[in-house]
Amino acid sequence: MTALLEVAAHLPSTRFPIEDLAERLGLHDRQVRLFRRFHGLAEVRLAPGGSLLDLLLAAAARLDGLAGNEHRVRYVVHARGMPVAVPYPHNPLRELCRALGLEHALSFTLTHQACATGLLAVDAVGRMLAADGDPDALALVLAGEKTYTPDAQLVPETAIFGEGAAAALVSTGDGPGRGDRLLAYATSAHGEFDGRLRLDRDLAVRFQNEYPRLLAEVLLAAVDKAGLTLDDIALLLPHNVNAVSWRRVCKRIGFPVRRVVLDNVAVVGHSFAADPFLNHRTAVDGGRLAPGDRYLVGAAGLGATFSAMVLQHDPTGPTHNSTDQDNTDQDGVRARGNR
Amino acid sequence: MLTVGPPPAMAAAAPRLSGAVGRVFTGTSPTAWDPALRPFLADLVRPFGTGLREDLLVDGAGHSFGEMAEALLPDLVDDREPVDLLVLAYALHDLRLGRSTATHLSDRCPGRPAAFAVCDQGSAAPFTAVRLIESYFAGGACSRAVLLVVEQSALHYELAAPAPLPDRHTAVGLRFDTDGAPLTVRQRTAVEPAHVAAVLAAEVAALRGDRADTTLIACARLAGLLPPGIAHVVAAEGQPCTGVWYELATGRPEGLVLLAEYTPEVGVLSLSALDVPAPARPLADARAVAG
């Protein structure tokens, strides 16, 4: 049984009001106002001058369960939205392994599902651990990226990217204390939306029109695969593209918006594949998940991939032993929670 | 859509190699003249202070993973054979930098499979990809998969550190079904260069057993380190990520076929064992096209 044993989040300390990013993003005043008033975005967390390695290390450093358990980590995986992050042959993931004493682990990047890759990584490493058959083995999943080029800064009329990062320890095996159990995963590829939304207006419109239906399909498929109905779902952890798109999806599937963790949308930015983990941390820190709660996670990636996952909360795992630290930013300021 | 529950305690099925095709591509992709290439590359290298290769940008060089891999798909699966999973594996990045090519290829593949890519692992990536395919077969939700191993030779910026570079554009496609040649993968981590020969010899001995009909296909890095007394083929140095797979796809070996790849930048020794009963045709529907 795949389980999220612990999730840690790192939010860069620098907050940029979206108005301050207008020039960088090539946005007119009207577009900025639209993002703020209609999409519900206010500010974005960025780490100017920091590297991808810095982001990932900062997230991993907040895991209580990693230190002392390095020998148990078999896989270190970067769940990455952008197909390319650094010039070849730079390999920040390998540098991270060296820095954290994980050189013995098999490290690799999963990508090409854009911002839906985080859910893929959890499912994939869970399967690799299960195949190995060692119930004590762990996998470290990392997510978070630099906004280094226009494709990694803006989804037109939809989202502004941020540089939040996350780290998750994934375990396998049954029984209490193993973390939040993965009940089902659904993913659907829609390569017909491959293209550059910034340049192809028709493609962008088609994608926006189809997005609610396609995301709704995987959300419902994952719930069904778990043998549940939406009434059984306590909480929905979204990706942080914007608030209005989630209201549309919720209306379509009949799920109450108040049970969607939208707190980070306004103040973090869309942090690529890290969003589900950031919102997991927020939900746990805000006390919004009770023991045994089943919750749904949804994500969509440009290109396009739509994915959803159902998990069951296990409060006896170490996920909940360090809530005072994990969602704290570099200045010691607690990130926005659900309280 | 791929929907799965938790991984099973016991594997429901194992992937078997049922088709393979390899192709070397000549020419240059139109993407090499895409106006978006230069600014994207400039953004990519700026934090690292690496210079762009203006000569390649002006003349046009390189190939697109999507174009190469898409050309192989009709030789691997036909329209009546829906695929559940498509995996792309590579070491050096694509010419089309921002595209999720695996997802693009899903749209060109029967069944519009779930799709993703494995990278940042050098030449170990295709082996990891096979393990991932294996893990999805084990759950029973996947019964047909395609692995596409790709590399293109153009690097439009100065190399910051020594690293393998292809000297040609190559794509290899492997098809997995529940029927075909049994294939397994093993990966040893933290293997130092000084110990490679000994680890390789031990792994080959374990995989080979007493089989006399064994052929070892090894990457160029392992030339000179191969255990004695075993027939072998050494892949081309100019195909650092695709080489052993290209030899498998185009060489049509029979008997017990072992693939060996060493990736020192990540400390991984990868091996694969493929049992192709002779005198049966080695790989159903295998086709090789070069040129």
Side-chain angles (χ1 to χ4, degrees):
Chain A
M1 180 68 82
T2 301
L4 272 179
L5 188 62
E6 185 181 0
V7 176
H10 164 72
L11 299 180
S13 58
T14 311
R15 303 163 187 253
F16 288 86
I18 61 172
E19 289 77 7
D20 292 359
L21 296 171
E23 184 177 347
R24 180 197 196 212
L25 301 175
L27 296 175
H28 302 302
D29 290 347
R30 187 188 62 79
Q31 293 169 306
V32 172
R33 284 199 301 274
L34 194 69
F35 267 125
R36 183 176 279 276
R37 294 177 185 173
F38 183 67
H39 291 104
L41 311 188
E43 58 186 36
V44 173
R45 297 290 193 105
L46 299 172
S51 69
L52 175 59
L53 176 62
D54 296 335
L55 287 180
L56 301 183
L57 276 174
R62 295 181 188 281
L63 288 168
D64 285 350
L66 180 58
N69 285 310
E70 293 89 346
H71 62 287
R72 296 170 58 191
V73 177
R74 287 196 181 201
Y75 305 104
V76 179
V77 176
H78 188 199
R80 201 172 69 211
M82 291 296 291
V84 180
V86 295
Y88 180 82
H90 290 281
N91 192 335
L93 193 62
R94 209 57 211 160
E95 292 179 60
L96 178 140
C97 288
R98 284 192 282 272
L100 297 179
L102 299 171
E103 288 168 290
H104 59 280
L106 192 74
S107 64
F108 57 94
T109 289
L110 290 173
T111 183
H112 289 206
Q113 289 198 355
C115 303
T117 309
L119 301 187
L120 166 72
V122 171
D123 187 65
V125 297
R127 290 176 190 282
M128 293 183 82
L129 289 171
D132 293 339
D134 177 359
D136 291 327
L138 301 171
L140 172 61
V141 172
L142 300 144
E145 300 177 42
K146 294 298 292 180
T147 56
Y148 68 94
T149 196
D151 282 355
Q153 293 166 354
L154 177 75
V155 184
E157 298 175 30
T158 302
I160 298 173
F161 286 101
E163 296 181 351
L169 283 174
V170 178
S171 69
T172 188
D174 291 319
R178 310 298 297 191
D180 292 8
R181 294 187 304 133
L182 194 166
L183 303 181
Y185 169 60
T187 184
S188 182
H190 288 272
E192 70 270 27
F193 296 114
D194 171 43
R196 293 171 177 145
L197 299 186
R198 287 191 303 117
L199 306 176
D200 189 338
R201 175 71 184 163
D202 289 344
L203 180 67
V205 169
R206 277 197 295 119
F207 182 62
Q208 284 181 1
N209 289 340
E210 288 294 304
Y211 173 95
R213 179 179 67 83
L214 296 172
L215 185 53
E217 277 183 4
V218 291
L219 291 169
L220 295 174
V223 171
D224 184 65
K225 183 67 179 178
L228 304 172
T229 69
L230 282 177
D231 290 340
D232 301 313
I233 299 299
L235 210 59
L236 196 162
L237 307 184
H239 63 159
N240 299 331
V241 284
N242 60 63
V244 70
S245 65
W246 278 105
R247 290 195 191 97
R248 286 177 180 156
V249 170
C250 285
K251 185 177 180 183
R252 176 176 282 271
I253 64 176
F255 190 80
V257 178
R258 62 184 159 75
R259 298 217 302 261
V260 183
V261 181
L262 290 170
D263 310 55
N264 292 321
V265 169
V267 292
V268 173
H270 178 25
S271 298
F272 302 88
D275 282 351
F277 306 106
L278 300 180
N279 292 332
H280 181 278
R281 192 67 258 172
T282 296
V284 170
D285 288 349
R288 295 182 68 177
L289 283 172
D293 273 356
R294 276 78 61 100
Y295 59 97
L296 181 59
V297 189
L302 295 178
T305 300
F306 296 84
S307 297
M309 185 172 275
V310 180
L311 298 104
Q312 184 166 27
H313 189 49
D314 177 359
T316 63
T319 306
H320 313 290
N321 293 342
S322 57
T323 54
D324 289 342
Q325 299 297 321
D326 288 343
N327 206 18
T328 305
D329 70 17
Q330 289 176 329
D331 296 333
V333 178
R334 192 171 188 78
R336 185 183 175 95
N338 290 291
R339 59 196 78 200
Chain B
M1 185 186 303
L2 180 71
T3 55
V4 293
M10 296 286 290
R16 291 169 173 245
L17 190 66
S18 55
V21 58
R23 188 179 299 181
V24 172
F25 290 78
T26 57
T28 300
S29 166
T31 302
W33 292 278
D34 184 342
L37 180 59
R38 179 194 291 271
F40 201 132
L41 284 164
D43 289 340
L44 179 70
V45 301
R46 188 174 298 113
F48 299 85
T50 309
L52 293 180
R53 288 280 306 274
E54 294 294 339
D55 54 332
L56 298 183
L57 284 164
V58 171
D59 295 343
H63 222 300
S64 150
F65 289 171
E67 291 165 31
M68 291 193 293
E70 189 175 338
L72 301 189
L73 286 174
D75 289 340
L76 284 172
V77 286
D78 70 35
D79 291 342
R80 295 160 299 175
E81 299 174 309
V83 175
D84 300 310
L85 182 63
L86 183 152
V87 184
L88 187 73
Y90 57 90
L92 173 61
H93 59 72
D94 195 2
L95 188 62
R96 187 156 173 178
L97 296 156
R99 176 196 248 180
S100 289
T101 298
T103 306
H104 161 78
L105 290 168
S106 167
D107 194 47
R108 304 292 193 271
C109 183
R112 297 175 72 171
F116 61 82
V118 184
C119 61
D120 291 349
Q121 205 185 17
S123 55
F127 291 86
T128 301
V130 173
R131 292 180 64 187
L132 286 161
I133 289 169
E134 191 173 22
S135 74
Y136 278 95
F137 267 67
C142 178
S143 59
R144 180 173 296 126
V146 167
L147 169 61
L148 297 156
V149 188
V150 286
E151 61 191 351
Q152 61 88 29
S153 66
L155 188 68
H156 289 78
Y157 47 83
E158 302 297 337
L159 201 57
L165 283 179
D167 65 8
R168 70 204 81 172
H169 316 311
T170 306
V172 177
L174 304 173
R175 169 178 163 163
F176 297 91
D177 286 274
T178 50
D179 294 321
L183 181 146
T184 59
V185 168
R186 300 166 65 136
Q187 289 179 301
R188 293 283 302 269
T189 60
V191 179
E192 297 293 335
H195 303 135
V196 173
V199 177
L200 176 65
E203 291 288 337
V204 167
L207 289 168
R208 182 185 188 185
D210 57 1
R211 291 281 294 268
D213 60 337
T214 303
T215 302
L216 175 62
I217 302 176
C219 68
R221 279 169 163 155
L222 291 173
L225 300 174
L226 303 179
I230 184 169
H232 64 264
V233 176
V234 176
E237 190 173 5
Q239 294 175 309
C241 187
T242 61
V244 296
W245 305 99
Y246 185 78
E247 290 297 333
L248 173 67
T250 62
R252 300 196 171 200
E254 294 181 348
L256 180 64
V257 182
L258 305 182
L259 277 63
E261 181 75 60
Y262 180 52
T263 317
E265 57 269 33
V266 292
V268 175
L269 178 68
S270 303
L271 293 107
S272 184
L274 173 71
D275 202 350
V276 186
R281 188 176 172 184
L283 300 170
D285 299 326
R287 273 168 267 188
V289 183

